[in-house]
Structures are given as C-alpha cells and as structure tokens.
C-alpha cells in the first residue's frame, strides 16, 4: 500500500494520499493540488507518522514548483523558500519533516547555482521528492529485515500508536519489523494499544494488521501493565518521531509509560526508525520540541463523540509526544542495522555520511 503518491496533471501535479482521519471506516483519497491543502492535511493528521510527514513535505515543495507561475529559477526558489516555511510550521516534533525540507531546499539551491533552466529545475525537484519517498520505502524494508531477527518465534509483541505502512511511504517501521517477522514464517501476535487521544492504534494499526492477516488484539492504553504482569507480552516495538544523539526517542504520548512498564517487567523495548528520524544535533530527549495539540482532541473523545466527555471549561493538557530515555531502550533498529547502547557512540558511528 502506498500512503501517498505524486500524480502528474496538465497543470503541474498533485499529491494523492489516503485521508487517515477517515480510516478505518472509509478509504477516501485526498488530492492536494495546492500548498494550503497539503499543509492542512499534515496539521490535521490526514497524513501522519514521522516518515510519511517528511515524504509529504518533500512532495509539497515539488507541488509548489510544478504549479509556480514564476518565470525565472531565482523567482521559483523564492517561492519554494516561502513554501518551506509554511510546511515547517505544520508540526514540530517529527524531525523527518525538517530533514526532508532541508534536502529539497539543498537540491533547489544546487540546481540554481548550476544555472539549470526552469523546466529541468522543476523536473529535478520532482525527481528528488519521489526519490525521498522511494528511499523511505527501501529503508523501512531494511529496518524490517534487521528487526525481524529480534522477534522470537511465537512472540506476543506490544506496539503503541501507528508506526506502520500508513506512517511511512508504505511499509512501516515498528510494524515493518512485525510484518517482516510474520513474512519470515514466525508466528506472532500483536497487542495494539488504542493510543489516546486520537486512536491511531485502534483505527490504523488494528486495520493494517487485519489487512495483512497478522493476529492482533486491541487493548486500551491502561491495560498494558496488567498484560505484562501476567506474562502475556514478550517484547515492545514502537516507532519514533525524533531520536536525540544519546538515543532518547520521542514517540506518541504514552510511549514512555510503556517503556517504564517494560523495564519493570524485564521486557526488551525496541525502537524502530530510519536515520531520517535521528537528530544528532540534539543532545538528549529533553531538547526535543513536543507538540501540544487542540484540547478538543481530549475533550471530545475524538472520532467518537460530539458531546464533551468532561465538564465545560476544565483545564486540559494535550502533549502529543513524550521522550523515552535511552536507558529504557534495548536497541534501536535502523536501516543500517540494530544499534545497541552506548547510543551516543553507536548512533554517531552508524549514521550514514552526507
Ligand atoms: O501524531 P502522529 O500520529 O503523527 O504520531 C505518530 C507516531 O508517534 C509514530 O509512532 C511515529 O511517527 C513513528 S512512524 C513510523
């Protein structure tokens, strides 16, 4: 399954994506033919998950280039810089967004410096955006292959949020590991945290696993400890939105609590993510910007109710992510292999150059 794809049109192109806010009840494709629609799609989680946000942002830059009326390449680059700022302001935590924007802008600047003519400039930027997307698919496949070796035969795996095909270009990080273990013939069963407040686990992970025929059971977030206490969980695999230089990993709110529980029960807690999620410029998870989202996501039991589930005016706090300290992480599964502590050294050594 492709989470998003570029479609050529007579007037430039558009970015087609599955509207994830409508899943699992409806599979609706959303066509983004302008920057505003694409930025709104990222902000409203129509497309979400760190690698998928990066791919969408890259295609957003290509979209603006393909539809620009600017006559000169310098004029076009100025438009792209403005578009970059709009996209960078959509969501703060997933570093893949900034990584992809930087890669696109670096390509644009290099093409400008090389004096490439307008048509070739637009074409080259589109190729770069498509390459970022294809590259993500390939990285996730490699993550899956490396991670599958960590999964024991017959494992009960707990996952939080959705780090599946929908969260990436199309294979998944944490779910990529699970999918690869399943495809390798291992019998696995997945405990799916529903993932309050927006239910990415219940709506998206359960749906993906069901489509793949991978046995899974949906639980509410507050059930994980009880299952671990009963010996019903063998390991935890989650994705990440940003991994600091010391291995601290920010992921969907609630991940830290799962990691603490896993540690208490001596269960391996694995983070699966491509290097586009690693931010070596940040010393620790405490430096990772944590997005705060609309209070209605908490108050309205999103997707389910229109009646508030709390008294009007009650104070609400809605952080979307939390950082898990690296001492709770048994290994980080990347496209270049399984990385173990001490992460400050091992992550830097494994990071692809350039
Ligand atoms: O708010 P979301 O749905 O974008 O949060 C997504 C997550 O936290 C994922 O676990 C993370 O991005 C990893 S995706 C492979």
């Amino acid at each position: 399954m492709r989470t998003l794809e570029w479609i050529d049109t007579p007037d430039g192109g558009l970015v087609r994506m599955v509207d994830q806010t409508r899943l699992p009840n409806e599979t609706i494709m959303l066509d983004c033919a302008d920057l505003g629609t694409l930025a709104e799609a990222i902000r409203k989680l129509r497309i979400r998950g760190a690698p998928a946000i990066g791919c969408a942002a890259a295609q957003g830059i290509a979209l603006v280039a393909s539809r620009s009326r600017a006559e000169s390449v310098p004029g076009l680059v100025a438009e792209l810089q403005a578009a970059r700022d709009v996209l960078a302001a959509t969501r703060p935590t997933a570093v893949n967004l900034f990584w992809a924007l930087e890669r696109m802008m670096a390509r644009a600047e290099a093409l400008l410096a090389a004096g490439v003519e307008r048509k070739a400039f637009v074409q080259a930027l589109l190729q770069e955006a498509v390459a970022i997307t294809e590259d993500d698919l390939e990285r996730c496949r490699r993550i899956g292959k490396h991670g599958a070796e960590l999964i024991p035969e017959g494992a009960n795996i707990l996952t939080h949020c959705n780090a599946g095909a929908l969260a990436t270009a199309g294979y998944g990080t944490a779910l990529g590991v699970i999918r690869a273990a399943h495809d390798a013939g291992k019998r696995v069963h997945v405990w799916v945290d529903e993932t309050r407040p927006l239910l990415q686990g219940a709506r998206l992970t359960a749906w993906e696993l069901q489509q793949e025929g991978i046995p899974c059971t949906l639980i509410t977030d507050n059930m994980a400890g009880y299952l671990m206490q009963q010996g019903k969980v063998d390991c935890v695999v989650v994705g990440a939105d940003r991994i600091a230089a010391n291995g601290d990993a920010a992921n969907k709110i609630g991940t830290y609590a799962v990691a603490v529980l896993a540690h208490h029960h001596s269960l391996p807690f694995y983070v699966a993510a491509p290097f586009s999620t690693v931010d070596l410029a940040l010393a620790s998870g405490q430096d990772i910007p944590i997005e705060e989202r609309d209070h209605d996501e908490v108050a309205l039991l999103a997707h389910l109710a229109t009646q508030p589930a709390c008294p009007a005016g009650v104070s609400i706090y809605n952080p979307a992510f939390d950082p898990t300290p690296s001492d709770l992480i048994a290994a980080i599964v990347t496209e270049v292999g399984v990385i173990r502590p001490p992460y400050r050294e091992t992550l830097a050594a494994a990071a692809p150059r350039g």
Side-chain angles (χ1 to χ4, degrees), residues 20 45 47-53 91 94 96 140 160-164 167-168 172-174 198 200 204 238-241 250-253 255 272-274 277 291 293 320-321:
Q20 299 189 30
L45 275 52
I47 188 158
R48 32 66 51 203
I53 294 171
R91 298 194 71 191
N96 308 61
C140 285
H160 190 74
C161 195
N162 172 268
T168 63
T173 55
L198 291 181
Q200 288 93 330
L204 308 176
V238 297
D241 287 81
N251 190 48
K252 179 52 56 194
I253 191 76
T255 303
T277 303
E291 177 180 18
R293 294 186 58 84
F321 300 95

Side-chain angles (χ1 to χ4, degrees), residues 26-47:
E26 296 171 302
T27 307
I28 306 272
M29 303 310 289
L30 171 69
D31 285 349
C32 301
D34 60 81
L35 179 67
T37 307
L38 186 84
E40 193 261 6
I42 297 175
R43 253 192 313 272
K44 291 276 168 68
L45 275 52
R46 300 187 194 287
I47 188 158

